[in-house]
Amino acid sequence: MKTSAPRISPRISRIAPAALLALASSASYAQIASTSVTLYGFIDSSVRYQQTKAGNSLSVVDGAELGWAGSRWGLIGSEDLGGGMKAIFNLENGFSLDNGQLNQGGRLFGRTAYVGLSNSYGELTLGRQYNALYYAGSWLSDPTYVSSWSPSVNHQLNYAWDNAVVYTGRYSDFIGRLSYAAGEQAGTQHGSMQAASLMYNGHPFGAAIAYGGINGSGQTTFTAGGYYEIGPVTAQLVHYHTRNEPYTGTRSLITNGIGVIYIPVPAWELTAAYWRTTADGAVDNKFLAVARYSLSKRTKLYVEADTDRNPQSGRLSGGQAGMQYSF
């Protein structure tokens, strides 16, 4: 969906109607060619069966709770300012399909809400947006990418930051990001956050490294990972380490993940993943297998099974069958 500025209205009566029409048409064409706004979205919902010590349950869940990704819709746009410079923006809303409520604390645009400038040197954006940790781990090297099945959410320092300034630089297959979020507390840096990442997104392999922290809380996160492609198979490996010093909860949280994605034919995608998380010595092991089938370019069906073992809750097993639609 593209938009353009209103057509030029006649202000000078001396301009002949034909000349005015030609002028208006050329102006509208130029603005259509240089300005765009796109509506997009993603919906993920499934029926899940869960086994626990307390009993079994059956429920409808949104992807934000358990699934490939949370349901959302958004607007993204740009305007060509000339000389290789563009104005850009992105507004993205997150919601739960099972009850229609807003996610991200009830924010209207809780996933992203930023505006910025871009040119050949990169992008500089201001507002609520994903931090550098999110892209380096979940997006590039985690076995199920940004899925809510993955423990990666525990290592992203809240993944989307308010009051953020982000610089993204790209050179060939390399992508570097710097993220800073002001704590907005007068007289102190407490609550401010910063993160940096470097990714190589090439073929047949890629790699990423990132580090971030929250001032005043003692919380820091380190992420490293990569992937390697062998024909229809992609192997993924990721390491997360989050520290809390001085102690404010779990002192040390470490997650190592490994997975394989196999695409035997374009319509089928098969994924197997394993994560081992250690929280101050307590070990949690999670296994997952999922098959996804494309009915079309926009519509996919999937089935998933997982089991989670830890000393506190014992063994938790579940499975779900769902559908995705993107626009």
Side-chain angles (χ1 to χ4, degrees):
M1 178 175 69
K2 294 191 175 182
T3 63
S4 63
R7 300 174 74 89
I8 299 175
S9 59
R11 295 184 179 179
I12 304 176
S13 59
R14 295 178 183 176
I15 299 179
L20 179 61
L21 180 60
L23 178 61
S25 298
S26 62
S28 293
Y29 176 79
Q31 290 169 356
I32 289 174
S34 62
T35 304
S36 69
V37 177
T38 301
L39 171 68
Y40 67 92
F42 176 84
I43 297 172
D44 184 343
S45 186
S46 63
V47 177
R48 180 171 177 84
Y49 176 75
Q50 182 74 48
Q51 292 180 326
T52 67
K53 283 185 175 181
N56 303 331
S57 64
L58 186 68
S59 58
V60 175
V61 296
D62 184 81
E65 183 179 354
L66 281 171
W68 282 106
S71 298
R72 69 198 69 184
W73 67 271
L75 296 168
I76 188 168
S78 66
E79 180 187 11
D80 190 346
L81 302 176
M85 182 78 73
K86 289 184 178 180
I88 58 176
F89 80 91
N90 188 197
L91 304 173
E92 187 171 289
N93 167 278
F95 63 94
S96 292
L97 193 70
D98 52 342
N99 56 25
Q101 295 181 355
L102 296 177
N103 288 334
Q104 292 80 45
R107 295 177 172 91
L108 177 60
F109 295 111
R111 302 192 69 90
T112 56
Y114 69 75
V115 67
L117 296 172
S118 70
N119 60 17
S120 59
Y121 295 101
E123 302 173 359
L124 183 65
T125 51
L126 309 174
R128 179 174 172 83
Q129 49 198 310
Y130 300 136
N131 63 36
L133 295 166
Y134 171 84
Y135 291 100
S138 297
W139 192 256
L140 182 132
S141 56
D142 195 89
T144 55
Y145 300 106
V146 294
S147 85
S148 53
W149 292 307
S150 169
S152 64
V153 67
N154 300 316
H155 302 276
Q156 296 172 351
L157 302 183
N158 299 323
Y159 84 87
W161 290 352
D162 293 335
N163 314 308
V165 181
V166 176
Y167 171 74
T168 303
R170 294 179 173 84
Y171 178 76
S172 185
D173 291 325
F174 289 92
I175 304 174
R177 283 187 174 87
L178 298 173
S179 308
Y180 175 78
E184 295 193 334
Q185 299 183 42
T188 179
Q189 288 294 311
H190 283 197
S192 63
M193 299 176 282
Q194 54 279 317
S197 67
L198 179 63
M199 302 191 305
Y200 173 71
N201 190 21
H203 300 283
F205 68 91
I209 188 170
Y211 182 81
I214 303 176
N215 291 332
S217 73
Q219 187 175 10
T220 60
T221 290
F222 170 78
T223 297
Y227 63 85
Y228 193 85
E229 302 166 340
I230 307 173
V233 177
T234 300
Q236 313 239 117
L237 182 68
V238 68
H239 168 79
Y240 306 100
H241 190 180
T242 298
R243 296 177 180 270
N244 287 290
E245 298 291 349
Y247 177 70
T248 54
T250 301
R251 189 183 297 273
S252 177
L253 185 68
I254 301 172
T255 296
N256 293 304
I258 186 171
V260 175
I261 302 169
Y262 175 48
I263 304 177
V265 294
W268 280 99
E269 179 183 283
L270 308 176
T271 301
Y274 165 69
W275 298 272
R276 178 184 174 89
T277 299
T278 304
D280 290 343
V283 177
D284 179 276
N285 294 287
K286 184 171 185 177
F287 301 85
L288 175 145
V290 57
R292 185 160 53 171
Y293 178 74
S294 297
L295 293 175
S296 68
K297 185 177 180 180
R298 299 180 181 275
T299 305
K300 299 180 180 180
L301 303 178
Y302 65 89
V303 292
E304 180 269 354
D306 60 79
T307 183
D308 195 329
R309 301 175 182 177
N310 65 69
Q312 288 74 33
S313 57
R315 178 176 177 176
L316 305 176
S317 298
Q320 58 199 88
M323 175 179 175
Q324 300 171 302
Y325 183 78
S326 58
F327 60 90

